[in-house]
Amino acid sequence: MASRSRLLALIVAGVVVAATGCAPQKESPTPTDTASPSCAKDSLPTRTPGKLTIATDQPAYEPWFRKDKPDSGEGFEAAVAYAVAEKLGYARSDVTWTRVKFDTAIAPGEKNFDFDINQFSVTEERKQAVDFSAPYYLVRQTVIALKSSKIAGKTSLADLRGAKLGAQVGTTSYQAITDVIKPAGKPQVYNSNDDAKKALQNGQIDGLVVDLPTAFYITGAEITDATIVGQVPQVGVPEAFGLLLDKNSPLTRCVSGAVGQLSEAGTLTELEQKWLAQVAGAAELR
Amino acid sequence: MTPREHTPSAAQLRRSAYRRRQSVHSVLIAAFSTAALGTLLVVAVTGAPGWDRVRQSFLDPEIGADALPAVLDGLWLNVRLLVCCAAGALLLGLVIAVLRTLRGPVFFPVRALAAGYTYTFRGLPLIIVLYLLTLGVPGLRLQGMPSVLVLGGLALVLTYGGYLAEVFRAGIESVHPSQLAAGRSLGLTYRQTMRHVVLPQAVRRVAPPLLNDVVALQKDVGLVSLAGPIDAVRAAQIATAQSFNYTPYVVAGVLFVLLAIPLIAVTDWVTLRSARRQSGG
């Protein structure tokens, strides 16, 4: 718990330092780089003054948004979006939602939102085209199994020691098996998650380790008789989700700051607990 | 009559001395030319502008040593699979070849089936056979489904059995018909003639290509790793993914070559022996 939010805070700090300290010198510094405007609501140059326009994809999936209704504030990402808005001083009525396709959002070009929240992994390639806030979520590895499997419904890591687990080669998921779960038998390794899913369906492995978003997608849409066993403690260098903003957006610094504060206060960890572990059923394996 | 001590003549002594000088001479020349070529290669490779970068990412002794236990562990799987699959494929190939060379119209369906098998499995990419058997067949959820390793081994046996069957058939057909006729005229049945006259000659003739296919099989057994088991190359891939360094692949490659050397040496020796026998030496 505490160590997790510390890790998140550390990574946030690292990203902020990297963004400020290692940024390549811009030829013509924009005013926002030199001056440091306060992050008060009135001085924020949002698309509609006094309002905050947040984007996500249509449809928006569980457990990130519930019932494709972002404005309900239900679901992990909806909750995070409203928490960030609140930190920046916007009331719930000041937030307007808009829908933008995932691929359109990460492409360069004019944006019709202040920030977009849609499970965007922060990558160097994407940073060439858009801005990212500090990460609001570090992707966790998750064990999934068929409902008929002997490990379905298990609650501790020790219960998985005797299981035959599989993962895709060269992934953090594989590391989670070898470094954290440490099963008695050898893990099975696959070229792709598709092969691994087939093996899971065939009953050739008891459980498959994938990252949490993939786990929700597989159990929700692809293999409906599969269920999430639980989340594995953090391992390796996790993927990070960040809020997406227009390239060189004047809001990036303030939005990033708000995410950083939420992370330090432990709010993000609480929201994760509530929406991912309890509501969506991806409990923590200890 | 006590046998006299043999003393070589002066001419014989001169001859041996000359031969000794000649062999020393040729060894020296060979050593010199090898050293020259080696030096040239070393200078060309290590003098290349990117050599340091390549050495760091492909020849890092520390990372290689770290990966070695896992790669060796994987290689053990390769070796076990190779022994079982080579035996299985040789046996299957021999059976199919004998079926394809049966005479008489009554055996037409058998010949057709055997021919169809070799056509199919020589044409099918091994990866596809592996996928069908290791991930497709278990989906049937039958009782007593064998493990992934057994199914993967079966895929290899089926594919390589097709190649080996054709090699055996070439051997059988290269035995002169007069041999078969001679066997039959001595009163041997067709089966006895095949068993005692034709097959021994056929197998001896095609031993080099057979062993060659076994060497090829040695590299392909690792492909069962796509169904989950960790072989040497897969272990190297995992180590590479963790260290972002390609040295584990080099380690696995060196181990594979070391594993192949005895097989290849046997192949060469068999080829040499049959060549000597052919030339009546």
Side-chain angles (χ1 to χ4, degrees):
Chain A
M1 269 303 291
S3 69
R4 278 247 319 287
S5 45
R6 237 206 326 272
L7 176 67
L8 190 62
L10 262 177
I11 293 193
V12 170
V15 169
V16 172
V17 166
T20 51
C22 314
Q25 296 232 316
K26 293 195 184 66
E27 284 146 25
S28 53
T30 46
T32 51
D33 287 331
T34 46
S36 57
S38 76
C39 289
K41 175 183 164 183
D42 306 330
S43 59
L44 282 179
T46 52
R47 300 207 56 88
T48 315
K51 299 266 181 209
L52 191 63
T53 313
I54 308 177
T56 190
D57 205 342
Q58 177 123 30
Y61 290 103
E62 311 256 354
W64 315 105
F65 296 91
R66 293 199 77 186
K67 302 190 182 102
D68 194 20
K69 288 201 183 85
D71 47 16
S72 68
E74 296 201 317
F76 177 66
E77 289 195 330
V80 168
Y82 277 111
V84 170
E86 194 186 341
K87 263 278 177 267
L88 293 169
Y90 292 88
R92 283 194 71 127
S93 52
D94 295 334
V95 175
T96 46
W97 285 88
T98 176
R99 299 308 187 103
V100 176
K101 279 260 153 274
F102 187 98
D103 295 338
T104 321
I106 51 178
E110 190 67 16
K111 304 279 185 271
N112 59 355
F113 51 77
D114 293 319
F115 67 78
D116 190 340
I117 181 162
N118 188 12
Q119 303 123 64
F120 291 109
S121 302
V122 181
T123 67
E124 284 308 315
E125 292 77 23
R126 289 176 181 174
K127 277 186 189 171
Q128 307 300 315
V130 291
D131 274 5
F132 284 107
S133 75
Y136 60 90
Y137 174 67
L138 297 181
V139 176
R140 299 280 300 272
Q141 296 304 319
T142 307
V143 184
I144 60 174
L146 294 182
K147 286 169 184 162
S148 56
S149 157
K150 65 176 188 184
I151 61 167
K154 294 282 190 240
T155 52
S156 78
L157 287 173
D159 293 336
L160 304 182
R161 298 266 190 271
K164 197 171 192 185
L165 298 172
Q168 186 182 335
V169 64
T171 53
T172 318
S173 312
Y174 175 78
Q175 267 181 297
I177 299 179
T178 54
D179 301 358
V180 181
I181 305 173
K182 298 187 179 129
K186 273 198 154 185
Q188 299 287 297
V189 188
Y190 299 90
N191 286 334
S192 69
N193 269 339
D194 291 337
D195 293 358
K197 283 184 299 209
K198 197 82 220 140
L200 183 75
Q201 279 177 303
N202 291 344
Q204 291 166 294
I205 46 177
D206 300 319
L208 169 62
V209 182
V210 288
D211 58 41
L212 188 68
T214 314
F216 281 122
Y217 184 70
I218 292 175
T219 53
E222 292 182 316
I223 308 177
T224 42
D225 57 348
T227 172
I228 291 181
V229 180
Q231 302 185 52
V232 179
Q234 201 63 264
V235 58
V237 183
E239 243 184 291
F241 286 177
L243 304 175
L244 180 144
L245 300 95
D246 198 0
K247 184 80 186 154
N248 301 330
S249 159
L251 301 172
T252 304
R253 199 177 53 86
C254 292
V255 170
S256 241
V259 174
Q261 286 167 17
L262 289 172
S263 151
E264 274 160 39
T267 315
L268 293 178
T269 312
E270 279 167 38
L271 292 177
E272 232 180 281
Q273 281 291 324
K274 180 178 174 188
W275 293 108
L276 300 180
Q278 288 158 20
V279 176
E284 296 255 358
L285 295 165
R286 294 191 187 287
Chain B
M1 277 296 283
T2 49
R4 272 205 8 242
E5 191 86 10
H6 168 72
T7 46
S9 68
Q12 174 63 26
L13 284 172
R14 271 203 307 280
R15 209 177 287 127
S16 350
Y18 174 76
R19 281 188 183 153
R20 252 199 318 277
R21 268 203 313 279
Q22 280 300 313
S23 63
V24 168
H25 197 176
S26 61
V27 165
L28 280 177
I29 289 179
F32 177 77
S33 74
T34 309
L37 183 68
T39 314
L40 198 70
L41 278 174
V42 167
V43 167
V45 172
T46 58
W51 166 241
D52 274 340
R53 236 193 352 259
V54 170
R55 197 185 52 197
Q56 273 164 20
S57 58
F58 282 84
L59 301 168
D60 186 322
E62 212 170 295
I63 289 175
D66 282 349
L68 187 63
V71 174
L72 273 175
D73 203 25
L75 194 71
W76 176 228
L77 179 83
N78 290 78
V79 172
R80 279 178 301 164
L81 262 176
L82 173 65
V83 171
C84 299
C85 294
L90 284 166
L91 199 67
L92 179 69
L94 185 59
V95 169
I96 296 288
V98 169
L99 293 181
R100 265 199 89 175
T101 49
L102 284 175
R103 312 255 160 110
V106 70
F107 291 117
F108 175 78
V110 178
R111 283 199 299 270
L113 278 174
Y117 161 79
T118 56
Y119 276 56
T120 309
F121 280 95
R122 282 188 304 155
L124 260 183
L126 175 59
I127 295 242
I128 293 173
V129 183
L130 274 167
Y131 265 121
L132 288 174
L133 275 164
T134 54
L135 291 175
V137 171
L140 300 170
R141 295 297 188 105
L142 298 168
Q143 285 292 316
M145 180 58 67
S147 76
V148 157
L149 268 183
V150 174
L151 289 166
L154 189 61
L156 287 158
V157 167
L158 283 173
T159 304
Y160 270 83
Y163 297 132
L164 294 175
E166 287 306 289
V167 173
F168 277 121
R169 191 169 69 100
I172 291 170
E173 288 180 351
S174 75
V175 175
H176 200 275
S178 64
Q179 298 278 324
L180 188 73
R184 300 286 283 140
S185 65
L186 285 171
L188 299 176
T189 61
Y190 179 80
R191 263 180 52 190
Q192 287 171 321
T193 312
M194 281 305 272
R195 159 87 184 73
H196 297 289
V197 179
V198 178
L199 283 181
Q201 296 184 69
V203 171
R204 212 173 293 148
R205 264 180 212 180
V206 293
L210 284 179
L211 284 164
N212 194 33
D213 272 344
V214 173
V215 174
L217 171 67
Q218 184 205 314
K219 287 175 301 202
D220 275 352
V221 287
L223 287 174
V224 298
S225 66
L226 65 79
I230 300 175
D231 81 309
V233 177
R234 180 68 99 193
Q237 186 184 6
I238 290 166
T240 295
Q242 281 166 355
S243 61
F244 301 111
N245 185 304
Y246 291 89
T247 312
Y249 278 126
V250 177
V251 170
V254 169
L255 289 177
F256 266 104
V257 173
L258 290 177
L259 186 63
I261 283 176
L263 258 179
I264 293 171
V266 168
T267 314
D268 284 353
W269 176 73
V270 169
T271 316
L272 196 68
R273 205 183 54 162
S274 65
R276 282 212 184 113
R277 200 183 275 123
Q278 293 282 339
S279 58

